[in-house]
Amino acid sequence: MKLITTIPEMQELSTNWRVVTGFVPTMGYLHAGHLSLVQRAVAENQNVVVSIFVNPSQFGPGEDYNNYPRDLEKDLELLKTCRVTHAFLPKDNDMYPEGYQTWVSVDGLSKILCGRSRPHHFRGVTTIVTKLLHIVKPQNIYLGEKDFQQLVILRKMVQDLNIPCRVVGCPIMREKDGLAMSSRNKYLSLAERQQALCLYNSLQLAQELYSSGVRNKQEVVAEMKELILKQKGDIDYIDVVDPENLSSLSELVRGSRILLAVRIGQTRLIDNLEIV
Ligand code: PAF
């Protein structure tokens, strides 16, 4: 695996590649969720580039940029075992040099759901992913469904900006008890780790209600809220949406997606489930 730390070096390589390249953008502190994206990329591409960059512009003031977990050494060990061909580790100052002032934003989709409480978050994500796509020039980019809104926004961005890259969404990886894997799970105390199960359990409850014939969103959301509040979760939002465009639905239908964000102690967690 080749380590690349500068943008010109990465660009020179990617400009001359004549083989299919898959790209997995990450902020590091890799877990089995990331590795499932990497494995899919390795199976489908000759070159696989994984970037590790904790992107400052997607964190709001008072959010966890400084505390975001980092373990580069372990990340690189893991990537080597997965047959990744290139790890791209750009520096903050190279990505955002002094005087930087260009932003990419997907206006409508970035304002709803997580965008309400994190108003600049998705602008940071769409900007950094645009930059990375220009630098790495992959044919395929692999993104997790755990960040479902991010996935839909990036699909829209790639389509609207005619970026020649296929966006591949990959299923959520969960711990044995159902908790969606996330680097932020590291913030949870033992007691909070138990409480955090309310996200997945409430999604399961919604599926059970749907399977028993309930269709009304308000009714389902009320039951989910009750379950989450019992675990002292602080609900940011729960919504049932069309998976293509994230528009809010009043009824659950097969294929609709339930998205939620809940704060457990100081940690804001997200999860989602497709209704089947
Ligand atoms: O999902 C993430 O880890 C980040 O939002 C991403 C896509 C790597 C952009 O910084």
Side-chain angles (χ1 to χ4, degrees):
M1 184 173 76
K2 193 170 165 49
L3 296 193
I4 300 150
T5 54
T6 70
I7 296 171
E9 192 188 354
M10 186 72 243
Q11 279 178 314
E12 196 183 325
L13 276 171
S14 65
T15 303
N16 295 309
W17 273 335
R18 294 288 170 265
V19 295
V20 179
T21 300
F23 175 47
V24 184
T26 82
M27 299 206 299
Y29 210 70
L30 304 178
H31 50 66
H34 296 110
L35 298 185
S36 72
L37 308 182
V38 170
Q39 276 150 10
R40 174 98 186 255
V42 167
E44 296 183 353
N45 301 270
Q46 280 164 283
N47 272 336
V48 173
V49 181
V50 177
S51 64
I52 298 178
F53 180 67
V54 184
N55 174 34
S57 73
Q58 68 189 74
F59 292 81
E63 289 189 353
D64 55 343
Y65 174 68
N66 287 324
N67 299 331
Y68 195 82
R70 293 161 167 89
D71 190 344
L72 186 57
E73 216 173 298
K74 181 162 168 239
D75 288 346
L76 295 177
E77 279 310 310
L78 283 170
L79 294 180
K80 273 184 209 154
T81 64
C82 296
R83 290 188 291 126
V84 166
T85 53
H86 299 78
F88 179 42
L89 317 166
K91 302 201 176 44
D92 286 8
N93 286 345
D94 291 338
M95 277 303 197
Y96 298 108
E98 223 184 292
Y100 185 86
Q101 47 186 296
T102 302
W103 300 97
V104 176
S105 77
V106 176
D107 283 348
L109 291 172
S110 297
K111 293 203 175 94
I112 57 175
L113 303 165
C114 286
R116 285 192 213 281
S117 57
R118 307 187 73 194
H120 301 297
H121 170 66
F122 289 114
R123 184 185 81 151
V125 171
T126 42
T127 299
I128 197 67
V129 174
T130 301
K131 286 169 70 74
L132 289 165
L133 287 172
H134 276 116
I135 297 165
V136 177
K137 301 184 188 64
Q139 280 73 46
N140 300 301
I141 180 171
Y142 296 83
L143 298 162
E145 289 183 347
K146 155 87 180 352
D147 297 290
F148 196 78
Q149 185 175 6
Q150 168 174 283
L151 173 62
V152 173
I153 288 174
L154 290 173
R155 270 193 206 290
K156 182 77 178 132
M157 179 190 87
V158 162
Q159 183 190 20
D160 285 356
L161 295 181
N162 309 102
I163 300 176
C165 183
R166 180 173 74 116
V167 177
V168 183
C170 302
I172 298 176
M173 298 297 283
R174 299 184 179 280
E175 305 288 354
K176 278 205 185 74
D177 57 11
L179 182 70
M181 290 186 184
S182 161
S183 306
R184 290 192 167 100
N185 292 347
K186 181 185 157 57
Y187 300 145
L188 301 170
S189 69
L190 225 57
E192 288 171 343
R193 171 69 183 71
Q194 277 307 111
Q195 285 170 265
L197 289 177
C198 69
L199 280 86
Y200 182 61
N201 290 342
S202 71
L203 290 168
Q204 291 286 90
L205 174 63
Q207 175 63 58
E208 280 163 27
L209 289 166
Y210 176 80
S211 301
S212 68
V214 182
R215 298 287 180 269
N216 182 272
K217 175 166 78 179
Q218 282 182 353
E219 201 177 325
V220 171
V221 169
E223 298 241 9
M224 291 175 74
K225 277 188 177 158
E226 197 182 317
L227 187 154
I228 294 168
L229 294 175
K230 267 193 198 139
Q231 295 301 318
K232 301 197 172 61
D234 176 6
I235 300 168
D236 180 355
Y237 68 82
I238 302 177
D239 206 356
V240 180
V241 302
D242 178 322
E244 299 293 320
N245 55 25
L246 302 180
S247 65
S248 190
L249 303 174
S250 55
E251 300 253 295
L252 276 70
V253 292
R254 184 180 295 272
S256 55
R257 201 105 190 175
I258 308 198
L259 272 59
L260 80 172
V262 176
R263 209 172 273 281
I264 302 290
Q266 298 297 307
T267 308
R268 186 176 179 282
L269 299 175
I270 56 172
D271 200 348
N272 67 83
L273 189 77
E274 180 185 4
I275 292 297
V276 293

